Amino acid sequence: MSLSRARAATALALLLATTACTALQTEPAPAGHSTAPPPSASRQAGQLTLPLDAYASTVAETHVVEDAQDILMRRCMNDLGMEWKTLPRVDAQDIEPPNLGRYGAGEAEAIRYGYHPRPDPPSVIRRNRAWDEREALPAEVQRAAYGPSGKGGCLKTAQRQLVGSAAPPDYHAFNQLTGTALETSRRTPEVRDAVRTWHVCMAKAGFDYPDPLAAAVSERWRTAEPTPAERTTARADAACQRSTKVMTVWAAAETRIQRRLIQQNTGRLHEAKARKDRWLAAARRVLNRDDGQ
């Protein structure tokens, strides 16, 4: 991944990956195939909204800033006599909800994918392919685009044209607080009770995991494709999450904790949101001008 692409990764995606990987892991002891019925596609995970989401940067917002910078970079590169292909846009319906999988992967399409992520849709594939093509550009072009450090060149010029000397978005407060909220909510009595009920449900199906996050990140699922055992486990997990309402309980606990954290960190969060909003507003102006030409 190039430096530019790494910077474009969303803070939330990084946070969830880090949080999931720190979950305790206990390998399952299958006792035959699960008799749990296949889960229907749940809308709950896709509709989950948490208070701190207002201070995060969504994937769509990240794309807005990327696309605006790309337009300005193209002008800069063209002035240097170099071609610059802007990134293809991602269709809105191809962007996954921000909190999908926050409490484990039981709400995923367990029958087809188990705990593996769903395959990227075409518009996401096109954008990722464009990033990969940039990594293969000649060294001279990369230096002009990003400078020796990966933060200079036409990228720096584009950012200066976009927002002048305005401070860049800072997601440290959000990352810290959303991680704290998740771990704190995990230890609340009501979530512990719900997880214990989920654990009993999973044990009846022949699996031994301490909680849904541990089930989702087991090293057994680090395969190229979902295995039959993975699909069986994920189906049981999804059914147990639905019957025990563990997600509903957990989301309610975390919502309460996030609201308290927002009250305690109002200044930090408002400043971070103000920075993000300045960049977004500037990016949308660039895109609106470009689309109107």
Side-chain angles (χ1 to χ4, degrees), residues 20 25 31 35 45 47 110 119 133 155 165 186 226 250 266 268:
Q25 298 183 19
T35 57
Q47 295 176 341
E133 290 172 355
L155 173 63
S165 59
R186 193 176 182 176
W250 202 333
T266 301
R268 292 175 63 199

Side-chain angles (χ1 to χ4, degrees), residues 229-248:
E230 178 183 345
R231 291 192 181 96
T232 299
T233 307
R235 286 201 300 270
D237 183 0
C240 286
Q241 285 201 43
R242 187 174 63 245
S243 66
T244 62
K245 296 181 172 56
V246 64
M247 180 182 292
T248 300

Side-chain angles (χ1 to χ4, degrees), residues 50-169:
L50 295 168
L52 278 170
D53 290 350
Y55 304 95
S57 182
T58 66
V59 173
E61 290 171 340
T62 299
H63 288 171
V64 167
V65 175
E66 285 178 349
D67 292 339
Q69 287 183 164
D70 229 22
I71 290 169
L72 298 174
M73 283 185 70
R74 180 180 59 192
R75 296 173 188 171
C76 175
M77 294 293 283
N78 289 167
D79 289 343
L80 297 175
M82 297 181 182
E83 183 182 9
W84 187 256
K85 295 180 180 179
T86 55
L87 296 166
R89 304 280 177 90
V90 172
D91 296 336
Q93 67 269 21
D94 290 344
I95 297 176
E96 287 191 345
N99 293 311
L100 191 66
R102 184 166 181 84
Y103 306 122
E107 296 294 326
E109 296 180 41
I111 296 175
R112 296 182 63 187
Y113 306 119
Y115 293 108
H116 278 63
R118 286 173 287 182
D120 287 334
S123 67
V124 174
I125 292 174
R126 287 193 295 271
R127 193 177 184 92
N128 289 340
R129 187 178 295 127
W131 279 117
D132 292 338
E133 290 172 355
R134 287 186 178 182
E135 293 177 2
L137 288 171
E140 178 187 7
V141 177
Q142 293 205 33
R143 280 195 302 272
Y146 302 117
S149 67
K151 299 179 181 180
C154 281
L155 173 63
K156 185 175 182 179
T157 300
Q159 291 175 340
R160 187 169 58 248
Q161 291 175 345
L162 186 65
V163 293
S165 59

Side-chain angles (χ1 to χ4, degrees), residues 20 56 59 144 202 252 286:
V59 173
M202 287 290 282
V286 170

